[in-house]
């Protein structure tokens, strides 16, 4: 990889998901290189919770590089309802993918953690050194501990086998091809879908919780460009936070207002405070990213939201919901 002329085969696990499809989009729109072959895998290629199925996929595609995105992913309410399943599936997927990458000689793997795995009781902003400092928020302990183990696996493969296995830590991601399921998905696709339905009925929509929690959101296509940079240029084993700045953190209420504008919805919204708020905030520090890429331009939030809302409306029939 990098600027040399050697050809490479990049396998993206979870290639049919929100982030995988964003990588496909940017690769096809200027970020791909002639000497790279990209494969976007899905659960149809292999059930990555199964060792033999995972091995067969690695033997079939013979990747030289892996971007490992496949995971059981859900929003706050999906996690609350199935912590044990999130833990077990993700532990199995991550162990199988890294073991088979190593066994088949893959030198570079970039795997995906998340800012929601950070300690619940912490100081802010949170940085890369703090991943293991204390228990995660109770609402998603299963997903969090499974994800934290990726960092430990990377340490082992690097220390004992000299592999370049690393990880990224994105904040809440949104964009085209998201999971717009209201019960299971994340807040922005959930709100977009709710507003779409409220528009049909001419009624206000409901924001779950108090609207007070704060989040940093990253557009999937920005994240995709950053992940490709990590694969090509980032040499550290330790994770790197991929996030907008602290100043771009917004409350859920502000996010709901922005989604309403992007959807051209004027009926207003209500709060259902019987629903959980989840972690109040997980403000991430992007100093490390900015040291490497001081000039990187994030798409402005209103523009990224508009592109996402337009995609959902245009692709309503086939969108995951
Ligand atoms: P997503 O849209 O839910 O996509 C999940 C992907 O994983 C799909 O391609 C799915 O394949 C694949 N997959 C799930 N179980 C599998 C299995 N047993 N075997 C093979 N493939 C399997 O997820 P995403 O939002 O793009 O997330 C990508 C990565 O980013 C994940 O590691 C996630 O933890 C991380 N992340 C996401 C967010 C966020 O806000 N979305 C935030 C931080 C970090 P099928 O399409 O065939 O089902
Ligand atoms: P988190 O960032 O990991 O907690 O996951 P989410 O993306 O699910 O964001 C959850 C935050 O948004 C919580 O404070 C929720 O109470 C709030 N929220 C408001 N409305 C919704 C909604 O329709 N769906 C989801 N998933 N969360 C919502």
């Amino acid at each position: 990889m990098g600027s040399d002329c050697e050809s490479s085969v990049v396998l993206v696990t979870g290639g049919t998901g929100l982030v995988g499809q964003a990588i496909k989009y940017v690769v096809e729109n200027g970020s791909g290189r002639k000497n790279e072959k990209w494969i976007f895998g899905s659960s149809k290629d292999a059930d990555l919770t199964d060792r033999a199925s995972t091995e067969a996929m690695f033997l079939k595609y013979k990747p030289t590089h892996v971007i490992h995105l496949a995971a059981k992913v859900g929003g706050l309410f999906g996690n609350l309802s199935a912590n044990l399943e999130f833990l077990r599936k993700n532990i199995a997927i991550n162990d199988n993918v890294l073991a088979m990458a190593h066994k088949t000689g893959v030198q570079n793997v970039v795997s995906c953690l998340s800012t929601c795995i950070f300690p619940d009781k912490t100081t802010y902003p949170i940085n890369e050194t703090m991943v293991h400092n204390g228990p995660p928020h109770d609402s998603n302990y299963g997903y969090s501990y499974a994800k934290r183990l990726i960092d430990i696996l990377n340490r082992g493969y690097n220390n004992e086998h000299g592999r370049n296995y690393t990880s990224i830590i994105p904040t809440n991601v949104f964009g085209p091809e998201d999971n717009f399921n209201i019960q299971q998905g994340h807040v922005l696709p959930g709100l977009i879908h709710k507003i779409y339905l409220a528009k049909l009925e001419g009624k206000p929509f409901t924001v779950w919780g108090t609207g007070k929690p704060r989040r940093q959101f990253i557009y999937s296509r920005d994240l995709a460009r950053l992940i490709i940079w990590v694969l090509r240029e980032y040499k550290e084993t330790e994770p790197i936070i991929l996030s907008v700045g602290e100043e771009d953190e917004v409350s859920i209420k502000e996010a709901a207002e922005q989604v309403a504008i992007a959807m051209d919805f004027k009926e207003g919204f209500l709060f259902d405070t019987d629903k959980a708020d989840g972690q109040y905030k997980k403000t991430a520090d992007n100093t490390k990213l900015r040291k490497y890429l001081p000039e990187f331009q994030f798409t402005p939030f209103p523009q990224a939201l508009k592109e996402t809302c337009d995609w959902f409306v245009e692709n309503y029939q086939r969108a995951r919901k």
Side-chain angles (χ1 to χ4, degrees):
M1 208 82 179
S3 53
D4 57 45
C5 298
E6 258 176 55
S7 61
S8 42
V9 178
V10 187
L11 171 64
V12 181
T13 72
T16 43
L18 164 65
V19 182
Q21 286 295 293
I23 293 178
K24 186 162 191 273
Y25 177 87
V26 301
V27 163
E28 289 171 356
N29 287 277
S31 293
R33 288 180 180 163
K34 273 206 188 102
N35 59 347
E36 292 167 356
K37 179 177 171 197
W38 289 79
I39 293 161
F40 294 89
S42 76
S43 58
K44 292 201 181 80
D45 292 286
D47 174 3
L48 300 174
T49 63
D50 180 81
R51 178 64 62 106
S53 178
T54 309
E55 180 163 22
M57 183 182 73
F58 273 82
L59 293 174
K60 178 176 171 193
Y61 292 127
K62 299 184 175 52
T64 57
H65 297 70
V66 172
I67 296 175
H68 171 39
L69 305 173
K72 180 170 172 58
V73 182
L76 169 62
F77 300 93
N79 276 276
L80 273 170
S81 66
N83 264 292
L84 180 61
E85 194 185 343
F86 274 83
L87 177 72
R88 296 191 62 216
K89 279 207 167 146
N90 286 319
I91 286 179
I93 289 174
N94 299 331
D95 189 41
N96 287 336
V97 168
L98 291 180
M100 289 308 111
H102 172 59
K103 187 173 175 185
T104 60
V106 177
Q107 189 60 15
N108 293 280
V109 180
V110 178
S111 300
C112 205
L113 314 184
S114 165
T115 49
C116 59
I117 71 162
F118 278 128
D120 181 34
K121 297 196 170 39
T122 183
T123 53
Y124 298 101
I126 309 176
N127 68 38
E128 293 85 352
T129 67
M130 296 157 76
V131 171
H132 305 285
N133 279 3
H137 194 265
D138 262 352
S139 58
N140 65 352
Y141 70 87
Y143 177 81
S144 300
Y145 280 115
K147 286 283 183 187
R148 287 182 185 192
L149 281 176
I150 290 179
D151 180 51
I152 306 299
L153 286 165
N154 287 344
R155 199 196 300 173
Y157 282 110
N158 292 341
N159 286 350
E160 294 176 28
H161 301 288
R163 297 295 189 198
N164 300 322
Y165 294 177
T166 191
S167 61
I168 54 165
I169 310 182
T171 54
N172 290 47
V173 190
F174 70 100
E177 309 278 356
D178 206 339
N179 176 6
F180 291 86
N181 182 289
I182 292 173
Q183 300 302 328
Q184 296 292 320
H186 287 97
V187 56
L188 292 182
L191 292 177
I192 292 169
H193 193 176
K194 283 180 187 174
I195 294 177
Y196 181 91
L197 299 176
K199 234 175 151 172
L200 295 179
E201 297 174 351
K203 287 184 182 159
F205 67 97
T206 304
V207 175
W208 290 343
T210 62
K212 289 181 182 153
R214 303 185 65 77
R215 297 288 184 269
Q216 286 152 301
F217 294 103
I218 185 167
Y219 188 35
S220 58
R221 290 175 179 172
D222 293 341
L223 178 61
R225 291 188 289 139
L226 289 170
I227 292 175
I228 293 170
W229 168 80
V230 169
L231 185 70
R232 291 175 179 155
E233 310 293 344
Y234 182 73
K235 305 294 178 215
E236 298 182 36
T237 305
E238 291 72 33
I240 180 165
I241 289 173
L242 302 181
S243 172
V244 297
E246 290 162 61
E247 66 284 2
D248 292 318
E249 188 175 57
V250 294
S251 70
I252 296 300
K253 178 171 179 276
E254 288 161 341
E257 288 164 354
Q258 290 290 322
V259 180
I261 292 170
M263 291 290 286
D264 194 22
F265 181 78
K266 302 196 172 68
E267 310 297 325
F269 52 86
L270 311 163
F271 292 100
D272 180 351
T273 51
D274 288 339
K275 292 274 194 186
D277 264 348
Q279 197 164 358
Y280 172 60
K281 65 177 186 174
K282 31 202 170 182
T283 319
D285 180 352
N286 71 355
T287 305
K288 188 178 193 176
L289 173 66
R290 280 306 185 196
K291 224 160 53 191
Y292 279 106
L293 294 179
E295 307 297 335
F296 184 85
Q297 298 278 330
F298 288 96
T299 309
F301 189 48
Q303 182 189 330
L305 264 183
K306 181 84 177 79
E307 288 177 16
T308 306
C309 291
D310 289 352
W311 183 91
F312 181 67
V313 173
E314 278 161 28
N315 295 278
Y316 184 74
Q317 290 308 328
R318 76 168 186 90
R320 273 188 294 164
K321 54 187 187 305

